Amino acid sequence: MRPLFFLALALPPLLLAGCASAPNDPTLTLQTSKTPAEYAECVVPKLQDRALNPTVSQTQRSYRIVVPSKVAADNVLEAYKAGSGGKVFVYERHLLASNFLPSNFERAAQDCI
């Protein structure tokens, strides 16, 4: 009975470790030949097709695409002008158990490179 009690106390912090680790570091950095505007035009419909609800904001040099999450912090794509194309930073926070396969969010980000 006691080992089960200790396991029940230890499991939740381990599951949340993926959510709490390095919130300011991108989970993935991608290089693209597309401009930030072209990249956003490609990725937003892909996210919508995957039943995600992205919101887009832009500045002169970048696009920021935010997909709300019910479980963890919002997932964010930031595309910046860089040399002859753009650089994309992916910020995705998900549970530790889902780190083994690319998510719909990550697949959409990589499909538009």
Side-chain angles (χ1 to χ4, degrees):
M1 180 82 169
R2 268 194 164 150
L4 187 59
F5 175 73
F6 289 115
L7 179 64
L9 288 177
L11 190 58
L14 289 175
L15 289 175
L16 292 175
C19 297
S21 62
N24 295 324
D25 293 334
T27 53
L28 186 63
T29 302
L30 306 167
Q31 191 74 33
T32 180
S33 60
K34 297 178 181 176
T35 66
E38 291 170 336
Y39 183 81
E41 287 174 12
C42 175
V43 78
V44 168
K46 290 184 182 297
L47 292 170
Q48 291 170 335
D49 290 345
R50 291 176 167 99
L52 302 171
N53 295 322
T55 56
V56 180
S57 59
Q58 76 178 78
T59 67
Q60 281 185 322
R61 296 187 43 83
S62 69
Y63 276 75
R64 182 180 176 98
I65 302 161
V66 178
V67 176
S69 172
K70 294 178 184 174
V71 178
D74 292 346
N75 296 319
V76 178
L77 287 172
E78 291 180 334
Y80 292 92
K81 286 183 184 178
S84 61
K87 197 162 192 173
V88 178
F89 297 96
V90 179
Y91 299 89
E92 182 177 22
R93 308 294 176 232
H94 45 74
L95 294 176
L96 190 62
S98 63
N99 283 339
F100 299 111
L101 297 173
S103 66
N104 285 334
F105 182 74
E106 184 178 328
R107 272 185 256 139
Q110 291 180 339
D111 286 350
C112 289
I113 296 301

